[in-house]
Amino acid sequence: MFNNLSDKLDKALHVLKGHGSITEVNVAETLKEVRRALLDADVNFKTAKEFTVRVKEKALGQDVLTTLQPGQLMVKLVKDELTELMGGDAEGINLSGNPSVILMSGLQGSGKTTFSGKLANYLKNKKTKKPLLVACDVYRPAAIDQLHVVGEQIGVEVFSDRGNNDPVAISQAGIAHAKANGYNVVIIDTAGRLAVDEAMMTEISNIHKAIQPQETLFVVDSMTGQDAVNTAKAFNDILNFDGVILTKLDGDTRGGAAISIKSVVNKPIKFIGTGEKMEAIDVFYPSRMADRILG
Ligand code: GDP
């Protein structure tokens, strides 16, 4: 994960490690390399620029020029700033409703159905939660089948209505089914298109308005870099979602989406997907991710 970025940042900061004392020019050169590494990792231009400006201010404010180990201090400052950029403290999901309704949004192929299953499994293992999955993709019968397969795999019931082509009605019926049968979490998997289009946005917005979920999650493939950030913006404008799920972090991801998304849409990344299996789900901890990036 993020190997390229880690190597480049390490190289950029390593230059300072050998120095007992450094100059403002050394700091500026190092931060230029840091910025280049972030841009190469597909971090949004504005985010990368602001990042280095903030680190520079802190470095000069904290007397990095006279400290005994300037290299170490710079690594710490960069790590702290990365943590802040990715969201500061980890944020959980709101499960206060009875049932708590969680709406999944995102493009087709982003990993919504897989993540719906992972989240249901994760919550089911918490013992106090009894989740129900609801299949609301009325365009692709295969998507409904896929959710049933996932449900069977993890032992969670899937509510679907194949004859119905109204996703709002299906989601409402799913919630009613949950209430009648003692489910305390409802996870609604919706249809996604290959690109943001008006019809999809209207549909998800209608579902959102009708069911008023406790939690709306936006699922995005981290491998898509800046496209992930742009798609997040488009969905956030319509849904004002509560959190982001970054999938496929096990792939050859450059890191741009993970690093930029919070600062662009101002919503936390809540979970990450790290594989195709149902167990490949992790709570997103910005500080742990920053540790991983900086080694
Ligand atoms: P949806 O169209 O948004 O519902 O996406 P799917 O859940 O069908 O996922 C699309 C593809 O991505 C499937 O082949 C999944 O197995 C795969 N996938 C989903 N999440 C992950 C992940 O975290 N890591 C990897 N490697 N593959 C994933």
Side-chain angles (χ1 to χ4, degrees):
M1 198 190 289
F2 309 162
N3 289 343
N4 229 338
L5 174 63
S6 296
D7 286 351
K8 285 186 180 154
L9 284 179
D10 189 49
K11 229 179 248 163
L13 292 162
H14 193 77
V15 177
L16 292 182
K17 283 191 183 157
H19 289 269
S21 68
I22 56 172
T23 64
E24 206 170 324
V25 173
N26 295 142
V27 173
E29 277 170 359
T30 299
L31 288 176
K32 207 164 135 193
E33 288 304 313
V34 167
R35 188 162 132 199
R36 195 168 291 158
L38 292 173
L39 292 175
D40 284 350
D42 208 14
V43 170
N44 165 289
F45 182 78
K46 191 162 161 261
T47 305
K49 188 167 176 200
E50 289 171 359
F51 180 92
T52 44
V53 168
R54 276 196 304 272
V55 175
K56 186 173 177 190
E57 275 168 9
K58 283 189 186 157
L60 299 179
Q62 292 191 19
D63 294 334
V64 74
L65 304 183
T66 52
T67 187
L68 284 178
Q69 293 181 313
Q72 248 110 323
L73 181 56
M74 282 299 282
V75 171
K76 183 183 178 308
L77 291 176
V78 170
K79 204 178 262 186
D80 289 351
E81 201 57 42
L82 265 181
T83 303
E84 202 49 44
L85 194 59
M86 289 190 288
D89 295 330
E91 292 195 36
I93 51 176
N94 178 359
L95 295 171
S96 61
N98 193 19
S100 304
V101 178
I102 303 171
L103 178 66
M104 296 293 171
S105 66
L107 296 180
Q108 189 176 313
S110 59
K112 277 188 309 302
T113 302
T114 306
F115 185 77
S116 298
K118 288 178 182 178
L119 183 60
N121 191 41
Y122 174 87
L123 294 173
K124 183 184 157 219
N125 289 339
K126 287 204 175 303
K127 309 295 181 212
T128 54
K129 297 296 168 199
K130 191 180 170 203
L132 173 74
L133 286 160
V134 177
C136 273
D137 189 337
V138 295
Y139 310 100
R140 295 187 309 134
I144 301 177
D145 297 339
Q146 188 190 343
L147 195 62
H148 277 281
V149 169
V150 162
E152 249 164 59
Q153 217 178 312
I154 58 175
V156 167
E157 192 192 342
V158 176
F159 179 91
S160 63
D161 182 357
R162 287 175 201 271
N164 195 335
N165 62 3
D166 177 0
V168 172
I170 301 171
S171 57
Q172 287 170 326
I175 295 167
H177 180 83
K179 282 183 182 157
N181 293 281
Y183 291 97
N184 54 14
V185 181
V186 184
I187 299 171
I188 300 186
D189 185 22
T190 61
R193 311 289 159 81
L194 290 171
V196 173
D197 68 48
E198 210 173 305
M200 173 175 76
M201 287 308 193
T202 305
E203 178 178 303
I204 189 88
S205 162
N206 287 342
I207 300 175
H208 186 253
K209 278 187 205 139
I211 63 173
Q212 304 200 348
Q214 268 72 43
E215 188 81 22
T216 302
L217 298 174
F218 168 70
V219 180
V220 70
D221 177 345
S222 60
M223 310 264 283
T224 58
Q226 280 311 291
D227 278 347
V229 177
N230 294 333
T231 312
K233 242 170 148 174
F235 274 81
N236 195 42
D237 286 347
I238 299 288
L239 294 176
N240 190 19
F241 55 66
D242 301 294
V244 178
I245 309 301
L246 265 187
T247 63
K248 310 188 196 181
L249 271 177
D250 52 308
D252 183 18
T253 299
R254 284 192 289 169
I259 295 169
S260 325
I261 224 160
K262 165 72 171 45
S263 69
V264 175
V265 293
N266 199 23
K267 295 291 166 63
I269 299 170
K270 295 199 170 181
F271 286 94
I272 55 175
T274 55
E276 294 187 273
K277 296 219 171 83
M278 285 296 114
E279 296 73 30
I281 168 176
D282 279 308
V283 172
F284 182 76
Y285 292 104
S287 61
R288 284 192 205 165
M289 190 58 78
D291 280 345
R292 265 169 108 151
I293 293 173
L294 282 173

